[in-house]
Amino acid sequence: RATINPKSFDELDEVVAMMKENSKVVIQLEGHTDNQGNAEANLKLSQQRVDAVQKYITSKGVSKNRVT
């Protein structure tokens, strides 16, 4: 799934707080899957996971250009 587990919100909120305190910080997100199933579908899922985390972080007020 590309849905963020609510258990991850606290940790992601810590990342957001750190980024707000340090305005020059830029982060790079990477998504992963296991090696089961179709490789193309897994690549798409990896990107969807990254997109979900980026959306969460930017929804908290961090500029999109600081999250690659």
Side-chain angles (χ1 to χ4, degrees):
R1 291 186 182 161
T3 305
I4 299 172
N5 186 322
K7 293 177 184 179
S8 300
F9 292 158
D10 287 343
E11 193 167 343
L12 288 172
D13 289 341
E14 287 182 32
V15 172
V16 169
M18 180 270 308
M19 292 185 77
K20 286 183 174 182
E21 290 174 11
N22 302 285
S23 62
K24 294 182 181 181
V25 170
V26 176
I27 62 171
Q28 178 177 323
L29 301 175
E30 294 183 13
H32 300 278
T33 64
D34 60 23
N35 62 356
Q36 301 297 308
N38 180 285
E40 195 171 307
N42 284 341
L43 183 61
K44 183 176 179 181
L45 178 57
S46 293
Q47 185 61 51
Q48 289 171 337
R49 289 175 173 172
V50 167
D51 294 343
V53 172
Q54 182 181 37
K55 183 177 179 181
Y56 181 87
I57 291 172
T58 58
S59 76
K60 300 292 183 171
V62 175
S63 174
K64 189 174 181 178
N65 64 357
R66 295 179 59 206
V67 184
T68 61

